[in-house]
């Protein structure tokens, strides 16, 4: 059994957050406002020093520096090969930051890791949502290519955006912003848990008979620190979440 602590969408407020203790601390994206170097560096410093035995984080649509394809980053295209770690096209300061993460801290970008027999997989990709301003946005007709990378047997899927109709409603636009293609893929993979954020107003929980869905946005729609981190006890042997 592992105790998972889930947070998301801290947007630079991480040091004001009261984080409960657990085995694995997971952040599902939007750690910064616009990918500012000072915010990203400060977040990583804070995150790696949390007392949890393991930590996992992904980027979100606000974390512009993580997406080498964004117009603000294209002039910095550069490949960095460091030991066994390969961060294509990341800015040098970010490549160094990711390379020097402690062994118990994992940054996931369309890939996974395994912790004490539990398989995690994470992605920053979201369906197109004001994508001309933000990053890791894909048109809905092409996003399936990303979700096909989720391996069968994955226990915990971490994506920045939620699936459609679960913790994804945007009241001001009267719009369900979640991803239908991701929902279909998770119905095939059947992970125990899916963690997301992105839609602040969607903070909450849902269940589809196989998978528990958690939106961990700690900021509300007004970017005020209102929501508590999730504490989740994962019992893989019995495929239960308590």
């Amino acid at each position: 059994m592992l105790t998972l602590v889930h947070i998301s969408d801290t947007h630079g407020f991480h040091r004001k957050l009261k984080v409960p203790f657990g085995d694995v601390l997971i952040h599902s994206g939007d750690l910064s406002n616009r990918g500012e170097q000072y915010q990203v560096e400060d977040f990583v410093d804070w995150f790696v020093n949390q007392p949890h035995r393991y930590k996992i984080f992904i980027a979100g649509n606000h974390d512009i520096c993580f997406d080498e394809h964004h117009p603000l980053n294209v002039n910095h295209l550069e490949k960095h090969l460091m030991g066994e770690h390969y961060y294509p096209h990341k800015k040098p300061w970010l490549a160094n930051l990711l390379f020097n993460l402690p062994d118990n801290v994992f940054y996931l970008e369309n890939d996974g890791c395994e912790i004490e027999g539990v398989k995690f997989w994470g992605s920053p990709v979201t369906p197109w949502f004001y994508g001309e301003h933000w990053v890791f946005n894909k048109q809905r007709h092409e996003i399936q290519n990303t979700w096909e990378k989720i391996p069968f047997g994955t226990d915990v899927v971490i994506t920045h955006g939620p699936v459609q109709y679960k913790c994804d409603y945007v009241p001001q636009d009267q719009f369900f912003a979640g991803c239908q293609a991701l929902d279909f893929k998770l119905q095939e993979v059947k992970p125990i848990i899916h963690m997301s954020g992105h839609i602040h107003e969607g903070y909450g929980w849902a269940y589809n008979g196989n998978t528990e869905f958690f939106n961990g946005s700690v900021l509300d729609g007004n970017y005020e620190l209102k929501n508590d981190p999730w504490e989740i006890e994962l019992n893989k042997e019995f495929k239960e979440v308590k």
Side-chain angles (χ1 to χ4, degrees), residues 138-156:
K138 285 195 173 185
Q139 298 291 346
R140 290 177 187 263
H141 67 270
E142 64 179 2
I143 202 169
Q144 183 65 34
N145 294 333
T146 298
W147 308 140
E148 286 300 327
K149 298 176 183 178
I150 304 174
F152 284 89
T154 300
D155 300 300
V156 181

Side-chain angles (χ1 to χ4, degrees), residues 208-229:
N208 71 354
N210 293 303
T211 300
E212 302 252 11
F213 297 85
F214 296 88
N215 181 322
S217 300
V218 295
L219 302 188
D220 66 8
N222 295 318
Y223 282 72
E224 295 182 359
L225 192 58
K226 295 287 188 180
N227 302 323
D228 293 328

Side-chain angles (χ1 to χ4, degrees), residues 89-128:
H89 309 312
K90 300 294 188 201
K91 294 181 179 180
W93 68 266
L94 182 56
N96 286 326
L97 195 68
L98 297 177
F99 174 71
N100 288 303
L101 291 174
D103 291 341
N104 66 333
V105 181
F106 303 89
Y107 169 70
L108 302 182
E109 188 175 310
N110 303 320
D111 58 1
C113 65
E114 184 171 335
I115 295 173
E116 297 188 9
V118 177
K119 295 179 180 179
F120 298 83
W121 189 92
S123 173
V125 172
T126 53
W128 194 264

Side-chain angles (χ1 to χ4, degrees), residues 1-2 23-24 53-54 114-120 236:
M1 181 177 291
L2 288 176
D23 297 307
V24 187
R53 288 190 293 147
Y54 306 97
E114 184 171 335
I115 295 173
E116 297 188 9
V118 177
K119 295 179 180 179
F120 298 83
K236 180 180 176 181

Side-chain angles (χ1 to χ4, degrees), residues 158-231:
I158 308 159
T159 62
H160 182 52
V163 303
Q164 194 171 42
Y165 303 131
K166 292 179 177 64
C167 308
D168 70 327
Y169 187 60
V170 185
Q172 61 269 31
D173 296 331
Q174 297 183 342
F175 171 60
F176 291 94
C179 183
Q180 185 182 53
L182 177 59
D183 187 28
F184 289 161
K185 183 61 178 180
L186 295 188
Q187 289 182 45
E188 295 179 359
V189 175
K190 295 181 174 60
I192 305 171
I193 296 171
H194 175 251
M195 295 179 173
S196 69
H198 188 37
I199 307 303
H200 296 194
E201 300 90 340
Y203 172 83
W205 168 92
Y207 182 58
N208 71 354
N210 293 303
T211 300
E212 302 252 11
F213 297 85
F214 296 88
N215 181 322
S217 300
V218 295
L219 302 188
D220 66 8
N222 295 318
Y223 282 72
E224 295 182 359
L225 192 58
K226 295 287 188 180
N227 302 323
D228 293 328
W230 287 103
E231 299 178 70

